[in-house]
Amino acid sequence: MSITLTESAIKELDRIMLEQNLSKNTCLRLGVRGGGCSGFSYILEFDDTVNEVDQVNEHGGITVVCDPKSFLYLSGMSVDFENTLMNRGFKFINPNAVKSCGCGESFSA
């Protein structure tokens, strides 16, 4: 399984990359780190480096990379972007999460 981006996430990432004048070679790095109110926190950042061991996918012209350890927790995940009156931000839809916090930025597996 891979990590996917929805159309709304792709549009927002394209907008941010253009606004920050980032190269088309810039990747979106997804990962996890210990912490947060549920055990693990999501990492979402731009990176110019693809490591030899990274899992690599491409969605809508955006290269998504993930280190092998994080991929164990993120395989099959989808990243969406929500822009409503109540919420604005990236949303992680992770089938591996047993429990998520209220803000959606951390989870336990």
Side-chain angles (χ1 to χ4, degrees):
M1 292 188 122
S2 66
I3 298 169
T4 60
L5 304 174
T6 65
E7 282 299 314
S8 59
I10 291 168
K11 286 179 186 175
E12 181 63 10
L13 289 164
D14 281 339
R15 185 194 69 74
I16 293 168
M17 290 175 77
L18 185 63
E19 182 180 274
Q20 294 184 7
N21 200 26
L22 297 174
S23 159
K24 282 294 183 182
N25 294 327
T26 300
C27 303
L28 178 68
R29 180 165 294 280
L30 293 169
V32 298
R33 68 174 151 237
C37 49
S38 292
F40 293 105
S41 293
Y42 293 106
I43 298 168
L44 180 70
E45 61 191 11
F46 292 113
D47 194 344
D48 291 325
T49 305
V50 177
N51 300 314
E52 208 173 279
V53 295
D54 284 337
Q55 295 287 328
V56 180
N57 296 299
E58 189 272 329
H59 297 282
I62 296 175
T63 302
V64 179
V65 297
C66 182
D67 67 89
K69 192 182 234 182
S70 294
F71 192 72
L72 294 172
Y73 298 102
L74 302 181
S75 177
M77 183 177 81
S78 179
V79 179
D80 191 16
F81 182 77
E82 188 175 75
N83 188 10
T84 66
L85 290 174
M86 296 290 289
N87 295 309
R88 178 177 167 77
F90 289 98
K91 182 177 175 184
F92 304 98
I93 303 142
N94 187 348
N96 304 302
V98 174
K99 182 176 102 177
S100 294
C101 68
C103 67
E105 293 181 17
S106 68
F107 70 100
S108 62

